[in-house]
C-alpha cells in the first residue's frame, strides 16, 4: 500500500491565483481530512469528509473548497490564494465505521509546502 | 471548549537520560487519545492510540499512559534518533473523526 499520497510537494503561487492540492489514499478509508500546520499553531482542521459525496467544514475553512467524488481522492482547492494561506498542508485518512474495535487512528500524507507571494 | 495542551514546548536530553512528555486535555466524551511523531519536513507518523484511563501502550523506548485528564509519553534511555516533535491529539465524543491537536513537544537527544 502507498498509504496517503499528496501532490505537489512544493508550490509557489501569486496572490489571486487558484490551484488544487491533490490527496489520495489506497486503504479504503471512509474518513479523509485536510489540515494546515503553521509555526506555533499546531495542526488545524480545514475540511473533512466521512465518505464519498459528504464533506463538512473544520476549524479554518475560509478560502478553501473540497469535494469527494470517490473514496480514494479528496482534493483541496484554493480559489484565490492569499499570503495568509502560506502554510504546510497535510491530508489524512482513517476508518470511521463503528465496530472496527476503535481503529480510528489517522494516517497522514507527506505534506504540501505552499508559499503565496 | 475542547482543548489539548502539551508540555514542555521543547526538551533537550542527553542520550540515555529518561524523561516524560505531558499532554493534558479537556474534552467532552473522549473517544481516543493519539500520539504522533513528526520529523522535520514530513507528515505526522502514528505511534499510539489510548481509549480509557489506565490504559498503557509500549513501542521500543516509548510508553504512553492515560488518565482522565492527561497522558504521558515516557521515553526510556533515549537515543539521538528519537529526536523529533511529538504531537498529542484527542477525538471528542460526537466527532465524526476530527482530531484536536496540541502544539507539540520538540525533543532533542544529544549523544
Amino acid at each position: 500500500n502507498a498509504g496517503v499520497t499528496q501532490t505537489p510537494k512544493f508550490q509557489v503561487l501569486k496572490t489571486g491565483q487558484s490551484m488544487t492540492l491533490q490527496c489520495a489514499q489506497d486503504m479504503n478509508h471512509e474518513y479523509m481530512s485536510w489540515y494546515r500546520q503553521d509555526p506555533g499553531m499546531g495542526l488545524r482542521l480545514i475540511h473533512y469528509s466521512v465518505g464519498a459525496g459528504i464533506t463538512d467544514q473544520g476549524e479554518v475553512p475560509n478560502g478553501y473548497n473540497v469535494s469527494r467524488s470517490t473514496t480514494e481522492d479528496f482534493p483541496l482547492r484554493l480559489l484565490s490564494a492569499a499570503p495568509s494561506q502560506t502554510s504546510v498542508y497535510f491530508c489524512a485518512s482513517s476508518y470511521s465505521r463503528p465496530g472496527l474495535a476503535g481503529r480510528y487512528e489517522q494516517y497522514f500524507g507527506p505534506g504540501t509546502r505552499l508559499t503565496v507571494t | 471548549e475542547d482543548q489539548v495542551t502539551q508540555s514542555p514546548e521543547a526538551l533537550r536530553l542527553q542520550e540515555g537520560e529518561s524523561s516524560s512528555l505531558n499532554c493534558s486535555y479537556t474534552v467532552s466524551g473522549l473517544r481516543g487519545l493519539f500520539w504522533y511523531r513528526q520529523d522535520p519536513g514530513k507528515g505526522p507518523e502514528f505511534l499510539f492510540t489510548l481509549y480509557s484511563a489506565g490504559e498503557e501502550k509500549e513501542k521500543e523506548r516509548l510508553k504512553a499512559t492515560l488518565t482522565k485528564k492527561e497522558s504521558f509519553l515516557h521515553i526510556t534511555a533515549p537515543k539521538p534518533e528519537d529526536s523529533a516533535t511529538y504531537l498529542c491529539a484527542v477525538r471528542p465524543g460526537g466527532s465524526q473523526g476530527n482530531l484536536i491537536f496540541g502544539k507539540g513537544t520538540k525533543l532533542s537527544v544529544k549523544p
Side-chain angles (χ1 to χ4, degrees):
Chain A
N1 286 354
V4 180
T5 58
Q6 292 184 238
T7 56
K9 290 187 177 181
F10 300 95
Q11 184 70 51
V12 179
L13 291 178
K14 294 185 177 181
T15 298
Q17 288 184 317
S18 62
M19 77 160 296
T20 299
L21 279 63
Q22 301 292 343
C23 173
Q25 52 91 11
D26 62 358
M27 297 173 282
N28 202 29
H29 286 166
E30 304 89 358
Y31 178 90
M32 296 185 74
S33 57
W34 278 100
Y35 293 87
R36 60 178 289 173
Q37 186 173 42
D38 303 292
M41 298 292 292
L43 284 156
R44 292 182 292 168
L45 183 66
I46 304 172
H47 284 285
Y48 66 96
S49 168
V50 297
I54 306 170
T55 64
D56 207 344
Q57 297 180 352
E59 179 185 355
V60 289
N62 292 342
Y64 308 96
N65 272 1
V66 292
S67 61
R68 182 116 178 253
S69 57
T70 67
T71 299
E72 294 78 20
D73 300 297
F74 190 44
L76 178 71
R77 282 183 288 277
L78 281 70
L79 304 176
S80 178
S84 61
Q85 294 179 304
T86 294
S87 185
V88 182
Y89 292 84
F90 290 102
C91 179
S93 73
S94 73
Y95 291 108
S96 66
R97 287 171 289 164
L100 286 179
R103 293 174 58 191
Y104 297 121
E105 57 265 23
Q106 291 191 20
Y107 294 91
F108 283 79
T112 294
R113 185 173 296 273
L114 175 68
T115 302
V116 183
T117 61
Chain B
E1 180 185 355
D2 300 325
Q3 195 170 355
V4 177
T5 303
Q6 291 187 247
S7 61
E9 291 184 13
L11 181 63
R12 300 183 69 172
L13 300 174
Q14 288 296 125
E15 185 173 1
E17 178 187 3
S18 302
S19 188
S20 297
L21 282 56
N22 178 261
C23 172
S24 62
Y25 62 90
T26 54
V27 65
S28 52
L30 182 71
R31 296 184 68 187
L33 185 141
F34 304 83
W35 282 99
Y36 288 85
R37 169 190 172 128
Q38 187 174 24
D39 293 300
K42 296 192 176 181
E45 176 188 350
F46 170 75
L47 292 174
F48 302 110
T49 309
L50 302 167
Y51 287 101
S52 56
E55 190 174 0
E56 299 182 351
K57 289 192 176 174
E58 289 188 66
K59 180 180 180 180
E60 297 181 355
R61 295 176 292 282
L62 300 177
K63 179 180 179 180
T65 62
L66 181 64
T67 72
K68 289 186 177 180
K69 293 186 178 181
E70 57 191 350
S71 176
F72 292 95
L73 185 64
H74 307 278
I75 303 176
T76 302
K79 298 182 177 182
E81 52 263 41
D82 294 322
S83 297
T85 296
Y86 290 86
L87 304 174
C88 173
V90 297
R91 184 173 184 236
S95 162
Q96 294 180 288
N98 303 345
L99 299 181
I100 298 171
F101 279 85
K103 295 180 180 180
T105 293
K106 185 175 182 179
L107 175 66
S108 299
V109 182
K110 303 299 182 184

